[in-house]
């Protein structure tokens, strides 16, 4: 084959005519390459997970420890490491995890089958090209391994199995990883926030104003109670403004507590209707739900009039902010406490979707020792320790 030679030169864009057809074609070429990259990565992950599943299955079905002795897993680890020295994942502890993984799901096959059906039927709202590519991948059979599991990295599978108390809880978190692209760290944070226990319990009227699938998704996203432990106010009788200041001074932790998919759009967003100025406490946009969420914070227990005011704000956001392709705005009222019957009665006659939640764990500065107080306590403790030491030496 003849090698084409040329003079030394700097490679640069050529002076050619680039029309709309070229731009469309090169965009399609880039899309095909990105799609190929995603398919390859998901396929590789799927094959590795299938191998892990089958490894766990073999250890269980062959009764390896009974048949070959208690050290058989360590021996398998050594044999695989010798054969594949450059490969990862063959440690004895990882092989044990594969066995635990297989046992966790197959111990209750009916629950596993039901969970897989739920995962396969879940409507992922994000209609991006990546999401469509993933749906194409999971339709391709790869053996006995549950197909949707292929979209979850092994590290996340380990966290889910080690932290979940039931197959239903595990399936819930698998769905969260698939739908929201949760990293391992984000997944652990979801467990710490008890997302499974709190999801779906918020008092709401979503089913009356939303399609069933959208209503279910919203209930998964919004919590019954929000932990504002990251917020510190000056004294016990704090006002709403002080709590808002504390919440929005740490937007990172606020968004972590709100949950995956929330984007902070602003505080005290002003709207003017009929010449009057009104302000929405907090405005969010949720990427997965594709809608705005207008949130009102109340530092007192629920009152029915709170809902009417929030209903107005939701309508205003729909009219003044919402884009044509956004879903209807949702109202979120967060109070210090509530009576569920009062809340449900207040929903009657409303035309907008609203949920009512509570909050707790706000920290009070007065209850926290100052640096000077801590220093005094430390000096006093040191004095007591020296006195105790002298008494012991005398004895």
């Amino acid at each position: 084959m003849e090698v084409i030679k040329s003079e030394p030169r700097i490679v640069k864009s050529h002076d050619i005519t680039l029309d709309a057809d070229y731009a469309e074609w090169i965009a399609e070429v880039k899309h095909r390459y990105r799609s190929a990259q995603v398919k390859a990565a998901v396929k590789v992950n799927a094959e590795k997970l299938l191998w892990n599943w089958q490894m766990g299955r073999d250890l269980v079905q062959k009764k390896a420890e009974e048949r070959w002795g208690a050290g058989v897993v360590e021996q398998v680890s050594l044999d695989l490491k010798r054969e594949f020295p450059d490969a990862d994942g063959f440690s004895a502890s990882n092989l044990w995890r594969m066995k635990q993984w297989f046992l966790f799901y197959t111990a209750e096959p009916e629950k596993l089958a039901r969970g897989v059906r739920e995962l396969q039927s879940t409507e992922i709202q994000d209609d991006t090209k990546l999401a469509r590519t993933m749906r194409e991948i999971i339709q391709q059979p790869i053996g006995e391994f549950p197909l949707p599991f292929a979209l979850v990295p092994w590290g996340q599978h380990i966290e889910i199995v080690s932290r979940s108390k039931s197959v239903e809880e595990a399936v819930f978190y698998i769905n969260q990883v698939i739908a929201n692209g949760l990293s391992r760290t984000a997944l652990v944070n979801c467990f710490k926030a008890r997302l499974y226990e709190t999801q779906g319990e918020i008092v709401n009227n979503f089913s009356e104003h939303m399609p069933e699938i959208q209503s279910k998704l919203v209930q998964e996203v919004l919590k019954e109670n929000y932990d504002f432990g990251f917020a510190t106010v000056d004294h016990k009788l704090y006002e709403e403004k002080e709590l808002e200041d504390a919440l929005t001074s740490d937007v990172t932790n606020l968004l972590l507590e709100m949950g995956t998919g929330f984007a902070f759009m602003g505080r005290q967003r002003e709207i003017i209707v009929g010449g009057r100025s009104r302000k929405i406490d907090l405005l969010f946009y949720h990427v997965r739900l594709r809608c705005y969420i207008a949130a009102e914070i109340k530092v007192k227990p629920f009152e029915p009039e709170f809902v009417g005011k929030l209903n107005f704000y939701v309508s205003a956001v729909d009219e003044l902010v919402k884009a044509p392709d956004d879903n209807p705005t949702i109202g979120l009222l967060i109070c210090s406490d509530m009576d569920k019957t009062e809340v449900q009665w207040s929903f009657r006659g409303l035309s907008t979707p609203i949920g009512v939640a509570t909050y707790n764990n706000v920290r009070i500065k007065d209850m926290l020792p100052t640096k000077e107080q801590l220093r005094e306590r430390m000096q006093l403790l040191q004095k007591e320790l020296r006195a105790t030491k002298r008494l012991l030496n005398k004895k």
Side-chain angles (χ1 to χ4, degrees), residues 1-6:
M1 180 178 176
E2 183 180 355
V3 178
I4 299 176
K5 296 181 180 180
S6 62

Side-chain angles (χ1 to χ4, degrees), residues 24-229:
E24 184 179 345
W25 171 65
I26 201 67
E28 176 61 24
V29 169
K30 292 175 182 177
H31 164 66
R32 290 202 305 264
Y33 186 76
R34 290 194 187 98
S35 179
Q37 283 182 310
V38 171
K39 288 181 179 179
V42 174
K43 184 65 176 174
V44 168
N45 185 60
E47 293 294 347
K48 286 184 176 179
L49 289 174
L50 175 60
W51 188 92
N52 290 358
W53 182 266
Q54 292 172 332
M55 184 75 247
R57 177 203 62 192
D58 289 351
L59 290 172
V60 172
Q61 293 183 351
K62 292 182 180 297
K63 299 181 179 179
E65 295 158 83
E66 296 178 23
R67 187 173 179 183
W68 294 298
V72 66
V73 174
E74 286 76 9
Q75 183 61 49
V76 171
S77 172
L78 291 171
D79 290 339
L80 290 172
K81 286 178 179 178
R82 275 195 294 266
E83 184 67 23
F84 308 104
D86 298 325
D88 295 324
F90 292 145
S91 67
S93 60
N94 207 35
L95 295 180
W96 281 116
R97 291 191 190 103
M98 295 172 197
K99 179 181 178 181
Q100 178 193 16
W101 188 41
F102 179 84
L103 277 173
F104 180 84
Y105 289 108
T106 57
E108 298 180 276
E110 291 182 1
K111 290 184 178 180
L112 174 62
R114 184 166 60 250
V116 170
R117 286 196 299 272
E118 290 175 5
L119 289 170
Q120 290 174 328
S121 64
T122 298
E123 292 288 336
I124 298 176
Q125 293 295 302
D126 181 9
D127 197 29
T128 62
K129 292 175 181 177
L130 175 60
R132 290 198 298 272
T133 300
M134 284 185 169
R135 286 197 289 269
E136 291 172 9
I137 289 288
I138 65 172
Q139 290 172 2
Q140 300 175 9
I142 55 173
E144 65 185 41
F145 175 61
L147 295 179
F149 285 20
L151 300 179
V152 178
W154 177 235
Q156 279 85 322
H157 275 298
I158 292 173
E159 296 294 344
I160 289 170
V161 168
S162 61
R163 295 172 183 269
S164 296
K165 300 179 182 65
S166 66
V167 171
E168 292 88 346
E169 182 178 1
V171 168
F172 170 82
Y173 284 109
I174 286 174
N175 187 40
Q176 292 298 310
V177 173
I178 295 172
N180 299 308
L182 297 183
S183 66
R184 191 168 182 174
T185 301
L187 175 63
V188 171
N189 287 335
C190 287
F191 273 103
K192 288 179 179 178
R194 298 173 56 250
L195 186 60
Y196 175 72
E197 290 90 338
T198 59
Q199 61 87 31
E201 297 179 4
I202 184 171
V203 184
N204 67 85
N205 63 353
F206 301 145
S207 61
E208 299 170 26
H209 302 291
M210 293 178 169
E212 183 180 353
I213 292 174
Q214 183 77 356
S215 172
K216 183 179 178 183
L217 286 173
V218 175
Q219 290 182 69
E220 288 181 4
V221 166
L222 301 182
K223 302 178 182 179
E224 180 187 28
N225 181 268
Y226 289 87
D227 184 348
F228 288 163

